[in-house]
Amino acid sequence: MPNSQLKFQTANMKRRILIVEDEPVNQEMLRFMLEESYELFMAGTGKEALEMFFSESDAFSLILLDLNLPDMHGLDVLRQIKADPQTSRVPVIVMTAEKNAEVESLTIGAIDFIPKPYPQPKVVLARVLRTIELSEDQDLIRSTERDTLTGLYNREYFYRYVAQFDVYHKDLPADAIVLDINHFHMINERYGKAYGDDVLRRIGEKLRDIVREDGGIVCRREADTFLVYCPHREDYAVFLENASVTLSRKGRNESRIRLRMGVYSDVDKTIDIERRFDRAKLAADTVKNSFTRTIGIYDKTLHESEIFAEQLIEDFPASIEEKRFKVFFQPKFDIRPEKPVLCSAEALVRWNHPELGMVSPGIFIPLFEKNGLVQELDEYVWRETAAQVRDWKERLGISLPVSVNVSRIDMDDPYLIEKMDGIVKENGLDYKELLLEITESAYTEDSEQIVEKVEKLRSMGFRIEMDDFGSGYSSLNMISSLPIDALKLDMQFIRNAFKERKDTRLLGIVIQLADALEAPTIAEGVETEEQLLTLRTMGCDIVQGYYFSKPLPADEFEAFLVKKKEQEEKSFKEKESKEKESEEKESEEGES
Ligand code: C2E
Ligand code: MG
Ligand code: MG
């Protein structure tokens, strides 16, 4: 393992030693012995020593501790240093003339001794050097601080070294950078894991080369996400270019691996290190689905949206408590009959925020998916929805299946199945009455585990609709084996098909695809009659969109139910009277 990374701080700097010693003569002697190889910090009292040490404990490689201090006993200083696991890793060598203090010092955690009067300078220097090396090696072994694939730091150690970096470069502006690979899971899926690993290794090497020049630090945080902390720079485009790799596979042309980069430039060093990288990640997300932009910079706009997001997170619990989240319902119509028939609805949440008014889920759902709050919110929405379906059944005598959205984060909930089951049972519903919309991207993430859960839900009697179909990057291969009862086309297909230059070919292909999977197709975002008619000709089964209605509050949505019931009663009566008529006709014919 290359040691140059571990000792990044010594490329042009010396390790730091804190010397706790009140006698000027001794101070001078130690200075004479060590100054050339180390940067020395002198503390004349125990209090001073502790203050210096705790204000930047990561910065010191060693403490040389005299036991006879004017204000306190050296052993008490030692105790305080060893009390905290974080600071206790800094080795302490005790310097004393009292032979019998040795055992006690060792028990408390000192690592070695230097007797007084001091031995030869060579001896002192050798002990100091060996202690530091040992402790660093031990650190390394204890930590497994590196990622085995790329040899870069792992997340935990990286953050620690960033803290050190800051100590050593207090006044140097620094950048936090996040890099990841566009559609890495596709690379893995298409070319295999070994190839994917190779890509990661190569990128790791490139990044290491880049920062080696200016003393930055690199880690692989997880999967294909890399973090870089380095002295502030301006040439991000060059950086990205240098980090990119071109790989060839046997018998194929070379392919360029596209990287995406988020930069939080000239970081605010008063905020948490993790938070600095969250900001860089926010910036990276702004170029997530862009083909033209590959670098996102954390700027004022992002900063404001971050503050806004924090506000929303803070307001969430009170709003749940006060039932400020409202479930709206948008009808879905079966368009196969000449006259479209209401066949279900989708429950869509809105936030009636005390200061901001109605907030759309497009704003808070992605945020709550990031921090897991979505689980709580969704459970609330499912409960409200189920209670509403029950109420309509009881009060209006009509049962309409309603679909709820299930976030991919919900799929991680180990109690998901029990929760769903409980909600249906508590409201005396049939499983068919609560449809579950799961987005396509959920399936691509950890497909095996998710498929298993979905299978279970289906075997209980739930119907599953795949939401936003066509937006993810799932392979056909995978989709054909998925447990699914309906496919909801991503709204973008309709949008794109009916732009100024109408081109419905792709839409047609997706519908055919759905057809081949033998799943009914639902189109959402249908706004015009033209769209409706085209979709019908193409074989789409169900339609949802402003053409029929926007999502409505429950009481307004009721009008659809009442109308449906009337229609059903009417057609029932018509059917009845038709049957009666034909019966009469038959009997008349029989008589004559
Ligand atoms: P989605 O599940 O794909 O829902 C469809 C979105 O399209 C809804 O946006 C709906 O209001 C909108 N829409 C429907 N018809 C039309 C139309 O004709 N034209 C246009 N322009 N838009 C139409 P909404 O309600 O803003 O929800 C956005 C997304 O937020 C939803 O997309 C869903 O992914 C998520 N969401 C909404 N409610 C919940 C919830 O309770 N839980 C979770 N996890 N996600 C939710
Ligand atoms: Mg949906
Ligand atoms: Mg959708």
Side-chain angles (χ1 to χ4, degrees), residues 346-348 403-406 437-439 467-468 488 524 544:
E346 176 172 9
L348 292 157
S403 60
V404 292
N405 287 285
V406 180
E437 291 192 13
I438 303 176
T439 71
D467 207 353
D468 305 330
K488 287 189 87 170
E524 57 184 340
Q544 173 186 351

Side-chain angles (χ1 to χ4, degrees), residues 74-115:
L75 288 180
D76 290 326
V77 176
L78 183 61
R79 269 191 202 95
Q80 291 195 40
I81 290 167
K82 295 294 163 188
D84 179 347
Q86 194 59 39
T87 58
S88 74
R89 55 168 206 95
V90 179
V92 179
I93 297 180
V94 163
M95 308 179 289
T96 178
E98 323 165 26
K99 262 267 167 243
N100 45 10
E102 290 188 4
V103 177
E104 200 174 357
S105 310
L106 277 177
T107 325
I108 300 173
I111 199 161
D112 201 353
F113 283 94
I114 294 180

Side-chain angles (χ1 to χ4, degrees), residues 181-455:
I181 303 170
N182 281 332
H183 309 318
F184 183 64
H185 65 94
M186 286 286 280
I187 294 178
N188 259 338
E189 202 171 306
R190 285 181 62 187
Y191 307 127
K193 190 168 171 301
Y195 181 83
D197 283 353
D198 209 26
V199 169
L200 294 172
R201 253 192 304 267
R202 290 282 304 279
I203 290 173
E205 275 164 26
K206 293 245 173 181
L207 288 173
R208 212 183 343 230
D209 287 347
I210 296 172
V211 302
R212 184 170 288 143
E213 285 159 28
D214 63 358
I217 325 166
V218 191
C219 100
R220 182 165 77 114
R221 193 176 62 184
E222 76 266 306
D224 62 324
T225 306
F226 296 88
L227 306 182
V228 176
Y229 195 70
C230 60
H232 172 62
R233 54 200 300 155
E234 307 273 343
D235 57 341
Y236 302 121
V238 177
F239 185 110
L240 189 64
E241 181 57 33
N242 291 342
S244 304
V245 296
T246 306
L247 280 185
S248 53
R249 289 173 304 118
K250 254 185 237 138
R252 302 274 181 139
N253 284 340
E254 294 202 322
S255 59
R256 185 118 182 107
I257 309 290
R258 280 167 54 91
L259 285 172
R260 190 160 56 106
M261 172 166 167
V263 181
Y264 173 32
S265 172
D266 190 3
V267 301
D268 173 356
K269 292 192 182 173
T270 63
I271 65 170
D272 257 19
I273 292 164
E274 229 174 315
R275 177 109 186 259
R276 295 178 211 166
F277 285 93
D278 287 347
R279 289 186 170 179
K281 178 75 172 60
L282 275 181
D285 287 345
T286 61
V287 294
K288 194 163 194 166
N289 293 314
S290 167
F291 279 101
T292 46
R293 293 178 57 224
T294 46
I295 301 175
I297 307 277
Y298 182 84
D299 57 9
K300 196 160 160 269
T301 323
L302 273 181
H303 183 63
E304 276 160 15
S305 68
E306 195 192 355
I307 303 282
F308 177 68
E310 275 167 13
Q311 181 69 45
L312 293 184
I313 292 167
E314 207 170 288
D315 296 340
F316 176 78
S319 281
I320 284 279
E321 188 106 324
E322 295 161 15
K323 291 203 165 227
R324 283 189 163 274
F325 288 96
K326 304 290 174 199
V327 181
F328 278 42
F329 296 86
Q330 186 176 36
K332 297 183 202 170
F333 280 86
D334 187 340
I335 58 165
R336 282 165 295 189
E338 179 60 30
K339 217 171 151 216
V341 180
L342 177 70
C343 61
S344 71
E346 176 172 9
L348 292 157
V349 69
R350 271 98 188 89
W351 187 350
N352 185 10
H353 191 277
E355 284 138 44
L356 306 166
M358 278 295 180
V359 185
S360 123
I363 292 179
F364 57 84
I365 295 283
L367 175 66
F368 292 166
E369 283 184 333
K370 265 193 217 158
N371 60 19
L373 285 179
V374 76
Q375 285 192 11
E376 197 182 332
L377 176 62
D378 275 347
E379 187 180 348
Y380 170 94
V381 172
W382 304 336
R383 285 192 187 282
E384 292 287 300
T385 305
Q388 188 60 66
V389 172
R390 171 195 198 156
D391 172 59
W392 283 329
K393 261 171 90 171
E394 289 176 356
R395 210 160 34 81
L396 308 178
I398 181 160
S399 152
L400 188 78
V402 176
S403 60
V404 292
N405 287 285
V406 180
S407 158
R408 80 197 141 73
I409 311 297
D410 297 322
M411 301 306 290
D412 296 335
D413 179 358
Y415 300 106
L416 177 73
I417 290 172
E418 285 88 335
K419 264 185 204 166
M420 287 284 183
D421 193 43
I423 291 172
V424 166
K425 285 194 177 129
E426 279 158 34
N427 290 284
L429 302 184
D430 193 291
Y431 293 106
K432 286 201 295 287
E433 290 174 302
L434 201 64
L435 308 172
L436 309 181
E437 291 192 13
I438 303 176
T439 71
E440 181 192 335
S441 58
Y443 287 93
T444 36
E445 262 163 42
D446 180 3
S447 36
E448 243 170 69
Q449 182 225 344
I450 286 174
V451 168
E452 205 175 288
K453 269 199 184 158
V454 174
E455 280 293 8

Side-chain angles (χ1 to χ4, degrees), residues 476-494:
L476 255 187
N477 209 342
M478 190 192 92
I479 290 181
S480 59
S481 63
L482 287 182
I484 268 166
D485 300 286
L487 286 171
K488 287 189 87 170
L489 302 187
D490 190 56
M491 213 179 301
Q492 221 44 48
F493 286 109
I494 318 254

